[in-house]
Amino acid sequence: MLRLEGKFAALEEISPKYFQPVIEWRNNKSLNKFLNQPYELTLELEKKWYEEVYLRDETQGLFIILDRETGTPLGTKGWTDFDAEKRRCISGRLLFGNENFARHPAFTEGILLAYDYTFARVDVQYSHVVEENLKSAEHIKKFGFVENTGEIQYPAELFVNGMHQREYFCTREMYLAARKKFERFFDRR
């Protein structure tokens, strides 16, 4: 399994040992308001998705963001629709689940580690945010994303489970420019 480490955060690819916190976070009404999950997640459904979909699909990935010092799971960050030929993917699956680590640098650094990993493989990432989810829209803008006002690349993502979404994108260059403001806190060089 893939593992990446920074100063404060570590990322590990999803595995059964992380199913329980992911299920709790995704079922938490204060966290899942804008998730594309119109059902209650169970251990059986998580196992089925992991074994029948995730492990068989090389176009997606999901990291668990951990506090590096304690190994405590904090949240998730991932991607779907990885296309090596077009060098693009959909960035998403961002969920901050552990309130005990609010304002702790590990979560932000974990996001940076995930973007560093994916931008080493793609030139552009897209993200889809529910129109009413202003907090998420502002959050991804900090990492260089802007709203796509041109040709929509993933039209099927604009209306999912009864929710209207907006498409955002970020090129590697846009991300690297935005990343500079985080370097003094997280750069490992």
Side-chain angles (χ1 to χ4, degrees), residues 122-138:
V122 300
D123 297 324
V124 63
Q125 295 188 45
Y126 293 84
S127 187
H128 301 88
V129 178
V130 174
E131 288 179 354
E132 295 81 14
N133 194 350
L134 303 178
K135 187 175 180 181
S136 283
E138 288 307 310

Side-chain angles (χ1 to χ4, degrees), residues 3 6-7 19 46 51 54 96 111 125 130 153 189:
R3 182 177 169 94
K7 277 186 191 177
F19 286 177
E46 183 75 353
E51 293 168 2
Y54 185 79
F96 177 68
I111 295 168
Q125 295 188 45
V130 174
Q153 298 300 302
R189 295 176 202 124

Side-chain angles (χ1 to χ4, degrees), residues 138-150:
E138 288 307 310
H139 179 80
I140 65 171
K141 288 176 184 177
K142 291 176 184 175
F143 295 93
F145 282 80
V146 296
E147 187 171 352
N148 184 1
T149 58

Side-chain angles (χ1 to χ4, degrees), residues 28-137:
N28 182 321
K29 297 293 181 210
S30 67
L31 299 176
N32 72 7
K33 183 176 179 181
F34 298 114
L35 292 183
N36 293 331
Q37 175 190 305
Y39 54 85
E40 184 166 331
L41 187 58
T42 64
L43 182 58
E44 294 73 28
L45 287 171
E46 183 75 353
K47 283 180 184 177
K48 182 177 173 133
W49 166 80
Y50 181 74
E51 293 168 2
E52 296 179 15
V53 178
Y54 185 79
L55 291 177
R56 297 176 185 192
D57 184 355
E58 295 180 8
T59 70
Q60 64 175 304
L62 179 61
F63 286 122
I64 303 299
I65 302 171
L66 307 166
D67 173 56
R68 184 173 175 224
E69 185 178 323
T70 64
T72 304
L74 308 180
T76 63
K77 177 74 181 98
W79 66 92
T80 60
D81 296 76
F82 173 78
D83 185 329
E85 187 176 310
K86 292 183 179 179
R87 295 192 51 82
R88 70 183 193 176
C89 68
I90 296 176
S91 174
R93 297 179 164 167
L94 180 62
L95 184 60
F96 177 68
N98 193 325
E99 291 296 322
N100 295 328
F101 283 81
R103 294 184 174 68
H104 191 282
F107 188 68
T108 299
E109 185 185 40
I111 295 168
L112 290 168
L113 288 169
Y115 280 135
D116 288 350
Y117 177 81
T118 52
F119 271 119
R121 289 151 185 78
V122 300
D123 297 324
V124 63
Q125 295 188 45
Y126 293 84
S127 187
H128 301 88
V129 178
V130 174
E131 288 179 354
E132 295 81 14
N133 194 350
L134 303 178
K135 187 175 180 181
S136 283

Side-chain angles (χ1 to χ4, degrees), residues 158-173:
L158 295 184
F159 188 74
V160 178
N161 296 324
M163 295 182 288
H164 292 277
Q165 301 191 111
R166 294 178 190 238
E167 184 171 85
Y168 292 79
F169 75 96
C170 184
T171 66
R172 179 184 298 113
E173 293 76 20

